[in-house]
């Protein structure tokens, strides 16, 4: 281990935060897992933290010298709460911040791109901005796609034949841990992908092969996708943004792979097939084999 760090992990019940917290605890670092409904992580005591309630900031920051930040999900203007939080974090002794953004959001771009710009301007000191591609867990976890696949064997999108460098949240977490704990911080953004770019049709085909059940991709228009997201309870502006991202994928914006996982962790990123096989094995362990 490098030096023992004290790390605030926000979004600690979510896809990447839970994995980051688990790994940091296993490596012997002090961890404060934080979320609105926090849970303890392998002995690390969870604290209640709400981006929209600044009374929860001080307890979350107590003793922390580093922070992993998952933005408030669905908030169209995360900088409005994240920038004042970062000022408070710096005053409380935080010297390194690793921010979760997205491959689709450049520095200075909308939403979390503003927080990215502030970190690059030296707001806190050492930093990294993780810009992962779409998560493999979208198809196997609690996401709308995963629910739809489980319920009806259909994954719907407006992505056409566009490809995405889907990445496993475990790989994102491993990059995050290196960025948080390496002696020298990246001080840059890191675009993180899996080993191959796949279309949603190819994803459906892998899922069908691995599960032995039919899975098909249903192509929607931008408007149909937006309405589908709204019907699932996602607020209109956020649903429009997500549907627009599908349209960008259709245009080829996410058709790329990077060497970030291998460079940061020393091993290649996990494939989608390996992810699907592991997720199926975990489900069978939990629920037993399907009739
Ligand atoms: N899914 C993808 O394909 C993808 C791709 C690239 C980037 N991203 C980015 O990854 C981030 C996380 O997305 P996700 O879908 O994977 O979600 P997630 O991390 O699984 O869940 C969100 C986490 O944040 C916490 N949280 C939500 N709102 C909060 C608030 N107001 N205050 C404090 N904590 C809050 C949640 O816990 P509580 O509800 O208990 O607070 C949960 O732990 C998003 O910023 C997204 O843009 C996602």
């Amino acid at each position: 281990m490098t030096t023992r760090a004290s790390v605030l992990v926000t979004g600690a019940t979510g896809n990447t935060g839970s994995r980051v917290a688990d790994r940091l605890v296993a490596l012997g670092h002090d961890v404060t897992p934080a979320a609105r409904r926090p849970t303890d992580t392998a002995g690390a005591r969870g604290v209640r933290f709400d981006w929209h309630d600044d009374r929860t900031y001080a307890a979350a920051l107590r003793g922390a010298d580093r922070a992993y930040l998952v933005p408030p999900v669905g908030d169209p203007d995360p900088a409005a709460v994240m920038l004042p939080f970062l000022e408070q974090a710096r005053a409380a002794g935080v010297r390194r911040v690793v921010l979760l953004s997205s491959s689709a959001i450049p520095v200075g771009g909308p939403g979390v791109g503003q927080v990215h710009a502030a970190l690059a301007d030296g707001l806190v000191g050492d930093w990294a901005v993780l810009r992962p591609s779409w998560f493999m867990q979208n198809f196997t976890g609690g996401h709308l796609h995963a629910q739809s696949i489980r319920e009806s064997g259909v994954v719907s999108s407006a992505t056409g034949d566009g490809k995405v460098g889907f990445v496993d949240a475990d790989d994102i977490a491993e990059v995050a841990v290196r960025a948080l704990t390496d002696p020298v911080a990246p001080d840059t953004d890191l675009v993180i992908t899996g080993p191959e770019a796949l279309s949603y049709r190819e994803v459906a085909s892998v899922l069908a092969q691995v599960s032995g059940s039919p899975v098909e991709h249903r192509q929607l228009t931008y408007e149909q996708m937006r309405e589908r997201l709204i019907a699932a309870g996602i607020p209109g502006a956020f649903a429009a943004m997500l549907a627009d991202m599908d349209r960008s994928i259709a245009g080829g914006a996410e058709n790329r792979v990077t060497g970030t996982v291998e460079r940061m962790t020393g091993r290649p990123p996990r494939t989608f097939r390996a992810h699907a096989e592991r997720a199926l094995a975990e489900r069978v362990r939990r629920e037993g084999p399907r009739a």
Side-chain angles (χ1 to χ4, degrees), residues 11-16 35-37 49-52 70-73 100-102 132-135 138 143:
T13 52
N15 276 317
T16 63
R36 288 170 302 183
R37 292 167 306 240
F49 173 78
D50 186 342
W51 282 111
H52 300 115
V70 177
V73 176
L100 180 65
S101 179
S102 159
S133 182
W134 272 240
F135 299 174
N138 293 354
H143 191 279

Side-chain angles (χ1 to χ4, degrees), residues 90 94-97 119 122-127 187:
R90 185 181 54 183
V94 171
R95 296 289 171 260
R96 187 184 300 195
V97 167
L119 290 173
L123 177 61
V124 169
D126 293 340
W127 64 282
D187 290 338

